[in-house]
Amino acid sequence: MARKQGSDTEATNGLEFQDSVSTLLERRGVTRREFMKFCTAMSAALALPPAFAPRIVRALDEVKRPTLVWLEFQSCTGDTEALLRASNPTVAEIVLDILSIDYAETIMAAAGHLAEANLDKVVREEKGTYIAVVEGSIPMKDDGIYCCIAGRTALDRAREVCGGAFATLAVGTCASYGGIPAAAPNPTGAVGVKAAVPSATVVNLPGCPLNADNLTATVVHFLLFKKLPATDGLGRPLFAYGKRIHDNCERRPHFDAGQYVEAWGDQAHRHGHCLYKMGCKGPETFHNCPTQRYNDKTSWPVAAGHGCAGCSQPMFWDSMTPLYKRLPNVPGFGIEATADKIGLGLAVGTAAAFGVHGVLSAFRRGDDSEGAKED
């Protein structure tokens, strides 16, 4: 069991806290003001109006304690690290204390038969009510022998645990779509959770690594509305993956102005101009990186001067590489476009959109005072 022991965490699985969540957090040094700030941030992350923040406060104060088990298969543990390295104490407290984490290989103290027995107990006694989190892809080839835990294959364990869960949160691109383990030639036959366990209710939270805020917001949505968030055709919550990175990118004005970085370290790069020509995959990638960011919202790849790698898209390693080559085709859809529309229309309209953009940029030739321009 990974969670802390004490008078305020004595409630057993499925029972209410003896004290409110805000009281628990206050005892850990998190002030009421910080708790309110966290709830307001969650409201923003869920694309809810600020007026919902008090409802989130009430919901978290009145919450019953759902059980969570965290399975790790073919992964680098980057998603666990992304969560545990969050320096904002409320994130860790919310996830680790509101939820009863009964199994998590990386952080639990129990090991061996004791740990596996605890997981079996959850599956047996709380069927249909617990939440499963899966990190890493699941190998299917040769009956799944390339990833085994406690003598059982990841595929066998996933079918049992995810199949009996209320819902499964696939964190990271590997668990969502197979990720890098599924890149060609995919020697282990790696797939995401939904492909391995089609009958399971799965919410995909791709990214390499997962943005911990999106996991927390998904949990808060469940606690607030008693249901899972709406998703797109790829199983991703719309509040986090409903818009393209390109449409919210802080470098977008430079794209519109025809100002592009032509070489790493050039004047345009130093001035923060658009990275499309350097291989940025933001025009084809759906994620809230520009607004949620990483490392306590301090930065994200494009803000740091590196193009988007498209890591939250299915099979990104095969479809988005080479990383430093410009996209051969870029969809020219407006900000209102959804992931599903892009999926249907990816092959059309691209040339026309950039043709128009090139014409507009041509009128700006001769003015190179602020960096490179579209050719």
Side-chain angles (χ1 to χ4, degrees):
M1 302 290 285
R3 56 188 155 83
K4 303 169 185 176
Q5 299 297 314
S7 60
D8 51 4
T9 58
E10 292 176 350
T12 56
N13 297 347
L15 300 180
E16 293 184 50
F17 279 120
Q18 294 177 350
D19 298 305
S20 69
V21 172
S22 57
T23 300
L24 296 175
L25 294 177
E26 186 176 356
R27 289 178 183 172
R28 287 166 168 75
V30 179
T31 66
R32 182 70 178 177
R33 183 184 182 87
E34 290 171 327
F35 178 55
M36 294 293 293
K37 183 179 179 182
F38 167 80
C39 293
T40 301
M42 285 296 100
S43 177
L46 290 166
L48 297 172
F52 267 81
R55 288 186 59 181
I56 294 177
V57 173
R58 288 195 298 273
L60 295 183
D61 266 348
E62 298 169 357
V63 69
K64 292 187 177 182
R65 194 174 207 187
T67 295
L68 182 146
V69 294
W70 187 300
L71 306 178
E72 189 167 342
F73 299 135
Q74 288 188 142
S75 81
C76 63
T77 320
D79 303 300
T80 296
E81 290 291 337
L83 175 63
L84 297 180
R85 300 302 178 192
S87 61
N88 188 338
T90 59
V91 174
E93 294 289 351
I94 288 293
V95 173
L96 297 179
D97 280 344
I98 286 181
L99 302 174
S100 174
I101 301 181
D102 284 27
Y103 184 91
E105 292 165 343
T106 304
I107 61 174
M108 63 186 177
H113 295 296
L114 179 61
E116 298 306 313
N118 202 47
L119 178 58
D120 291 336
K121 183 174 183 291
V122 171
V123 174
R124 183 176 62 253
E125 298 182 0
E126 301 186 45
K127 185 175 182 179
T129 61
Y130 64 89
I131 297 173
V133 175
V134 175
E135 177 177 6
S137 63
I138 300 172
M140 302 284 282
K141 190 176 180 181
D142 297 331
D143 296 324
I145 62 171
Y146 300 106
C147 181
C148 293
I149 303 101
R152 298 178 61 182
T153 66
L155 177 60
D156 184 34
R157 210 45 158 159
R159 285 172 173 166
E160 178 187 47
V161 177
C162 301
F166 166 77
T168 297
L169 308 181
V171 297
T173 301
C174 294
S176 297
Y177 310 121
I180 290 180
N186 192 2
T188 66
V191 299
V193 177
K194 189 63 177 177
V197 191
S199 61
T201 299
V202 179
V203 175
N204 290 323
L205 298 171
C208 191
L210 155 84
N211 188 314
D213 285 350
N214 289 336
L215 171 60
T216 308
T218 301
V219 172
V220 169
H221 185 285
F222 169 68
L223 298 174
L224 179 62
F225 296 109
K226 313 302 180 188
K227 64 180 182 180
L228 298 171
T231 58
D232 64 13
L234 295 172
R236 306 174 297 191
L238 289 172
F239 72 79
Y241 301 88
K243 292 182 179 178
R244 286 183 299 178
I245 281 180
H246 181 65
D247 296 326
N248 285 325
C249 180
E250 62 231 57
R251 295 176 188 252
R252 174 62 185 268
H254 295 293
F255 173 86
D256 293 337
Q259 298 170 324
Y260 299 97
V261 175
E262 301 283 353
W264 300 115
D266 68 7
Q267 185 179 21
H269 193 212
R270 293 194 295 274
H271 288 179
H273 290 179
C274 179
L275 294 162
Y276 162 68
K277 288 188 175 182
M278 303 306 292
C280 180
K281 306 303 187 294
E284 287 190 5
T285 304
F286 286 76
H287 204 172
N288 58 0
C289 288
T291 53
Q292 286 304 112
R293 301 190 168 203
Y294 284 81
N295 301 328
D296 288 341
K297 302 184 186 300
T298 57
S299 191
W300 65 296
V302 172
H306 191 284
C308 166
C311 68
S312 61
Q313 293 302 112
M315 310 308 295
F316 88 95
W317 192 255
D318 290 335
S319 62
M320 297 294 186
T321 51
L323 293 178
Y324 299 107
K325 295 291 185 182
R326 61 189 291 179
L327 291 166
N329 296 290
V330 178
F333 297 91
I335 195 169
E336 74 283 356
T338 65
D340 294 335
K341 291 178 181 176
I342 290 292
L344 291 172
L346 192 62
V348 298
T350 299
F354 266 77
V356 172
H357 188 64
V359 171
L360 293 175
S361 299
F363 286 100
R364 305 188 186 97
R365 286 177 180 168
D367 179 11
D368 57 357
S369 60
E370 294 184 5
K373 307 286 187 176
E374 172 70 16
D375 292 329

